[in-house]
Amino acid sequence: MVGRHLCCVCCLLCCAMASAKHLRIIVTGGTSGIGKVLVQQLAASGHRVFFTGRNKEALQGLASCEGVRGSSGDVTNEADVERQFSEALEFLGGLDALVANAGCGAGRQNFEDLPAEQFDRVFSTNVRGAFLWTQRALRVMKPQGHGQIVMTSSVAAMRPCPKAAIYAASKAAVQAMVLSLRAELKGSGVKIGSVNPGAVATEWWGDEGRGGWTKEMGPGSALPFWNDMLRPEDVADGIMTLLTQAASSNIESLVLDPADAGGVAPPDVAKRQRVD
Ligand SMILES: NC(=O)c1ccc[n+]([C@@H]2O[C@H](COP(=O)([O-])OP(=O)(O)OC[C@H]3O[C@@H](n4cnc5c(N)ncnc54)[C@H](OP(=O)(O)O)[C@@H]3O)[C@@H](O)[C@H]2O)c1
């Protein structure tokens, strides 16, 4: 009995160590911000990484890392996802993990002024994109009986702030997808969880095209709030925690606040930083 117990413990440890060593991972939205830092961290730890985005220059820059390949495509476009998923399987030679990270915001407009196109763009990217990639990952992971999926959600899913209703709603949808899938995947050997950061200092904030705020924000910003945000490295560390968790563990969500947020990020931003 003791021998069998020890053997099970050894199996768990071996599984955890083997998967921690050479994971084959897809990262969507790996060309910028959190995803870019994650790809770099994963490559530095010896994992094999296939990452996606649309910015060709950024794709080429990172793809020079060993064991890393970038691929251009839109997460909202099913044909792109289908093609890229095949490319990923060919390059990786299998699949251990998917990080559905690509996302965008809806800007900082009052609810009544938000164009319906913004709604469609945000839901298409944040929800449909995660759905399309996760579907394909599950078709590989369920038959093989193992795999880890991580969705980059947001604290906005639980603590929505003003002028971010559509973004928050899209992340709440991501959260619901994670919870429903966790129940559906029970006993399958496949795990899914979310990482929910507060405000993170990435390019997103300074780029209205990404649904960010204002060009005064972004890397190098002199605005005080910039220094109070999480770093993308903090979030990449959180994602790594899910990817490398023990076989006996199944993290549902990891909520990350900036150090002085006191559980109210990012709404606190609105008080400190008048941009409108
Ligand atoms: N920054 C924050 O404060 C914060 C806080 C909580 C959660 N998050 C979440 O964290 C994730 C990453 O955000 P980030 O701050 O790192 O933003 P970012 O710097 O703007 O990076 C977003 C990434 O998503 C990709 N992407 C966006 N739309 C895409 C599309 N339609 N098709 C393919 N790729 C697309 C971008 O690639 P291309 O530009 O190459 O297309 C880029 O690689 C998002 O899901 C975001 O909602 C961010």
Side-chain angles (χ1 to χ4, degrees), residues 29-35 53-55 73-76 101-103 125 152-154 167 171 197-200 202-205 210:
T31 51
S32 169
I34 296 164
R54 293 160 304 176
N55 179 332
D74 187 329
V75 293
T76 70
N101 168 74
T125 309
T152 312
S153 182
S154 168
Y167 176 73
K171 292 302 184 180
V200 191
T202 69
E203 293 86 332
W204 176 82
W205 287 91
R210 298 170 196 230

Side-chain angles (χ1 to χ4, degrees), residues 108 154-155 159 161-162 197-206 212-214 216-232 234 256-275:
R108 287 282 296 163
S154 168
V155 292
R159 303 180 220 137
C161 64
V200 191
T202 69
E203 293 86 332
W204 176 82
W205 287 91
W213 275 22
T214 163
E216 281 84 49
M217 296 289 278
S221 172
L223 295 171
F225 173 59
W226 182 256
N227 295 320
D228 295 343
M229 293 193 204
L230 286 159
R231 302 292 112 183
D234 302 328
L256 299 166
D257 275 332
D260 77 343
V264 290
D268 197 38
V269 174
K271 279 188 261 156
R272 297 192 210 181
Q273 216 272 120
R274 305 275 172 202
V275 291

Side-chain angles (χ1 to χ4, degrees), residues 79-121:
D80 280 2
V81 176
E82 189 69 28
R83 167 185 53 78
Q84 289 183 294
F85 192 72
S86 299
E87 286 171 22
L89 287 187
E90 199 181 324
F91 174 70
L92 298 172
L95 186 64
D96 300 307
L98 163 71
V99 182
N101 168 74
C104 65
R108 287 282 296 163
Q109 282 167 294
N110 287 335
F111 196 89
E112 65 274 22
D113 299 327
L114 199 70
E117 294 73 33
Q118 280 285 64
F119 177 97
D120 293 341
R121 190 173 67 92

Side-chain angles (χ1 to χ4, degrees), residues 59-245:
L59 280 164
Q60 277 164 7
L62 270 182
S64 58
C65 300
E66 202 179 322
V68 172
R69 177 167 301 171
S71 170
S72 174
D74 187 329
V75 293
T76 70
N77 180 313
E78 192 165 11
D80 280 2
V81 176
E82 189 69 28
R83 167 185 53 78
Q84 289 183 294
F85 192 72
S86 299
E87 286 171 22
L89 287 187
E90 199 181 324
F91 174 70
L92 298 172
L95 186 64
D96 300 307
L98 163 71
V99 182
N101 168 74
C104 65
R108 287 282 296 163
Q109 282 167 294
N110 287 335
F111 196 89
E112 65 274 22
D113 299 327
L114 199 70
E117 294 73 33
Q118 280 285 64
F119 177 97
D120 293 341
R121 190 173 67 92
V122 170
F123 265 76
S124 250
T125 309
N126 298 358
V127 187
R128 179 179 156 91
F131 159 74
L132 291 175
W133 276 97
T134 299
Q135 272 196 319
R136 280 153 187 83
L138 288 177
R139 289 172 193 155
V140 171
M141 291 175 176
K142 279 175 85 170
Q144 76 190 10
H146 70 87
Q148 172 72 57
I149 297 170
V150 181
M151 293 197 180
T152 312
S153 182
S154 168
V155 292
M158 307 117 163
R159 303 180 220 137
C161 64
K163 300 194 181 187
I166 299 311
Y167 176 73
S170 76
K171 292 302 184 180
V174 165
Q175 215 61 38
M177 204 150 54
V178 168
L179 291 181
S180 174
L181 266 175
R182 281 175 70 84
E184 190 173 322
L185 292 171
K186 193 165 179 244
S188 71
V190 182
K191 303 176 191 178
I192 182 165
S194 67
V195 168
N196 300 56
V200 191
T202 69
E203 293 86 332
W204 176 82
W205 287 91
D207 188 342
E208 288 176 36
R210 298 170 196 230
W213 275 22
T214 163
K215 56 182 180 319
E216 281 84 49
M217 296 289 278
S221 172
L223 295 171
F225 173 59
W226 182 256
N227 295 320
D228 295 343
M229 293 193 204
L230 286 159
R231 302 292 112 183
E233 289 78 5
D234 302 328
V235 185
D237 285 348
I239 294 172
M240 290 288 258
T241 301
L242 267 77
L243 292 176
T244 59
Q245 67 186 304

